[in-house]
Amino acid sequence: MHRSLSILLLLTLACASTPSQRPANVPQPNIDAELLSPLFFGSGNSAPATIEVRVTNRGNVPIVVRRIELDSPGMVQYTLRRYMREHNETVGPGETKPITVFATAVTTVSRPTEPLAMRAIVHFRAEGKSWREILITR
C-alpha cells in the first residue's frame, strides 16, 4: 500500500510539472528539422551543424515559437551538443516559418558515417497558453 501511494505521488508531481495543453482551437503545428549541409569534422572532433527547423501553423490564430531545444539521443559515432535557445518567432495562420539553428556536432571517431538522428522540442505560446511539441527525426 505504501509503495502504491509513493508511485501515485510521484506520478502526480510529474504531471504537475508538465507544460499546459495546447488550446482546443489550435491544431498541432507541423514541425520538421533538417541538417542544411553535411558535417565536416576535418582533423578535429567538432563541426558546425546548421539546422533548419520549419514550423507550419495549421490553425486560424497566430502561434509563437518561444524556445527550441535540439539534441541527438542514441547516436554512437557523433552527437549534437545540447542546444537550447529562446526565440520569439510568430507564425501566422497558414504560414510556414523556417528558423535557422546553429549547433555543434562532436565526435570521437575519425570519419563518422552515421546518419544524424535529432530530437527537437519546440515550445509554443498561443491564446494565453504554453505547450511543447516533440519531433524525432532520422
Side-chain angles (χ1 to χ4, degrees):
M1 175 80 170
H2 179 67
R3 182 179 166 122
S4 297
L5 287 175
S6 297
I7 292 172
L8 182 61
L9 179 62
L10 183 63
L11 287 172
T12 302
L13 290 174
C15 292
S17 66
T18 59
S20 66
Q21 296 294 316
R22 182 176 62 248
N25 65 329
V26 176
Q28 181 177 13
N30 287 341
I31 303 168
D32 189 27
E34 178 182 7
L35 185 64
L36 291 181
S37 58
L39 297 173
F40 179 69
F41 290 97
S43 61
N45 67 346
S46 68
T50 304
I51 298 163
E52 184 176 84
V53 177
R54 287 180 302 281
V55 176
T56 300
N57 181 354
R58 301 179 318 128
N60 296 321
V61 297
I63 59 175
V64 178
V65 175
R66 301 294 298 171
R67 181 172 55 208
I68 296 176
E69 301 174 40
L70 289 175
D71 63 359
S72 54
M75 297 284 294
V76 175
Q77 295 179 352
Y78 66 96
T79 186
L80 289 179
R81 284 191 185 136
R82 183 150 175 81
Y83 168 92
M84 185 181 338
R85 183 169 164 220
E86 301 296 321
H87 292 268
N88 191 25
E89 297 286 339
T90 301
V91 184
E95 179 183 10
T96 297
K97 179 160 277 196
I99 301 168
T100 303
V101 170
F102 301 101
T104 301
V106 292
T107 186
T108 56
V109 299
S110 61
R111 292 186 180 195
T113 57
E114 183 178 25
L116 177 61
M118 285 185 285
R119 174 176 53 193
I121 303 171
V122 183
H123 298 256
F124 293 97
R125 183 155 185 86
E127 300 284 297
K129 290 191 176 187
S130 297
W131 78 97
R132 68 182 180 194
E133 303 288 345
I134 299 172
L135 168 73
I136 297 177
T137 183
R138 187 160 191 72

